[in-house]
Amino acid sequence: MTIRDATDADWPAIWPFFREIVTARETYTYDPEMTEEQARALWMSPSNSPLARTTVAVDADGTVLGSANMYPNRPGPGAHVASASFMVDGRARGQGVGRALCEDMIAWARQSRFRSIQFNAVVETNEPAVHLWQSLGFRIAGTVPEAFDHPRLGYVGLHVMYRPLP
Amino acid sequence: MTIRDATDADWPAIWPFFREIVTARETYTYDPEMTEEQARALWMSPSNSPLARTTVAVDADGTVLGSANMYPNRPGPGAHVASASFMVDGRARGQGVGRALCEDMIAWARQSRFRSIQFNAVVETNEPAVHLWQSLGFRIAGTVPEAFDHPRLGYVGLHVMYRPLP
């Protein structure tokens, strides 16, 4: 598996699992009704910052297994904190794709001189993701109760997670 | 003091204290270099949601003392949580303007059937604001350490605060 910068040509391979993940409504606070064009803009150009970057994880055949994007979390006095989003194709789960994408993101954030990384809205019932971030050095700074409306589990919490970059 | 919906005609009265607050860099993670047009768009149209609303606090003479805006915090499965931002003219501090704006915002959120209110980035050293929100029923869900670069105090934390709307 290789992690590389995404190009416009990767979007058609990202869109099917992006759509599946967003319409499932289990892990992302995105509008499930968004159009493909809105999704492409959101994922491929996640910020006005010149630092913003979108990546893909590809296997030896060049098949896209997952994608990430990364950017300063906030402007001005918050611009020293990076953030990111990750999606893995359901057919490629359990192969370490999310871990590889996140390790690459951490390296990017360090090289880009960010002081820390913050994830703003990690669904508490998405335990594989919570445990993966924890294994990569992220801590739960706090949890907003009932901030996510899960289709099966009802109102569940959203974690704010962060990782210093010493 | 009255709280009412803002109109385009209120912007020239908001911009001076908006600019002062943002360029001070002590309480908002906004880009201090933003243009007036960017500031107007951000403050007067804070969200694509049809629910979004901007208000002003005015005294008996019609002078604008402060302003707030409010909107769903996130789309899709997060759209049942409201958020808001508040600014008070430095010359009107200590008169209960922030409290009146927030009480009005809480009433709006309840009427609009939100289930809770979340503030995403309250600077921990902005103690008057933290105490005001606490007195209005908000709790600190967590604090992200060193997420705000304060011009005098260095890296300080950002609180995530929330208030259920039972």
Side-chain angles (χ1 to χ4, degrees), chain A residues 114-163:
Chain A
F114 288 99
R115 289 176 52 91
S116 62
I117 302 168
Q118 178 175 339
F119 298 156
N120 301 297
V122 181
V123 181
E124 67 180 350
T125 51
N126 186 5
E127 290 176 15
V130 174
H131 293 152
L132 176 56
W133 308 149
Q134 286 174 325
S135 79
L136 289 167
F138 289 82
R139 305 169 211 164
I140 297 170
T143 307
V144 183
E146 303 193 353
F148 189 87
D149 184 6
H150 192 288
R152 288 181 294 107
L153 305 171
Y155 293 106
V156 300
L158 285 175
H159 294 317
V160 177
M161 299 187 72
Y162 83 103
R163 183 197 197 283

Side-chain angles (χ1 to χ4, degrees), chain B residues 9-21:
Chain B
D10 292 314
W11 173 253
I14 297 170
W15 168 238
F17 62 82
F18 180 103
R19 181 175 46 192
E20 187 175 309
I21 289 167

Side-chain angles (χ1 to χ4, degrees), chain B residues 15-74:
Chain B
W15 168 238
F17 62 82
F18 180 103
R19 181 175 46 192
E20 187 175 309
I21 289 167
V22 172
T23 58
R25 298 180 61 108
E26 296 192 357
T27 53
Y28 267 85
T29 58
Y30 288 172
D31 177 6
E33 308 291 323
M34 78 171 83
T35 65
E36 181 177 352
E37 204 40 59
Q38 290 169 326
R40 184 214 297 262
L42 179 71
W43 196 258
M44 303 300 277
S45 305
S47 161
N48 291 328
S49 167
L51 285 173
R53 173 176 175 245
T54 302
T55 58
V56 284
V58 294
D59 70 10
D61 297 332
T63 302
V64 174
L65 307 174
S67 182
N69 62 28
M70 54 208 78
Y71 40 84
N73 194 40
R74 302 181 187 282

Side-chain angles (χ1 to χ4, degrees), chain A residues 48-102:
Chain A
N48 290 328
S49 167
L51 286 173
R53 173 175 175 245
T54 302
T55 58
V56 284
V58 294
D59 69 11
D61 297 332
T63 303
V64 175
L65 307 173
S67 181
N69 61 27
M70 51 208 80
Y71 41 83
N73 194 38
R74 301 180 186 283
H80 59 289
V81 181
S83 192
S85 299
F86 302 87
M87 290 193 181
V88 175
D89 190 328
R91 294 167 297 181
R93 293 223 176 100
Q95 299 175 26
V97 179
R99 175 176 294 273
L101 287 164
C102 190

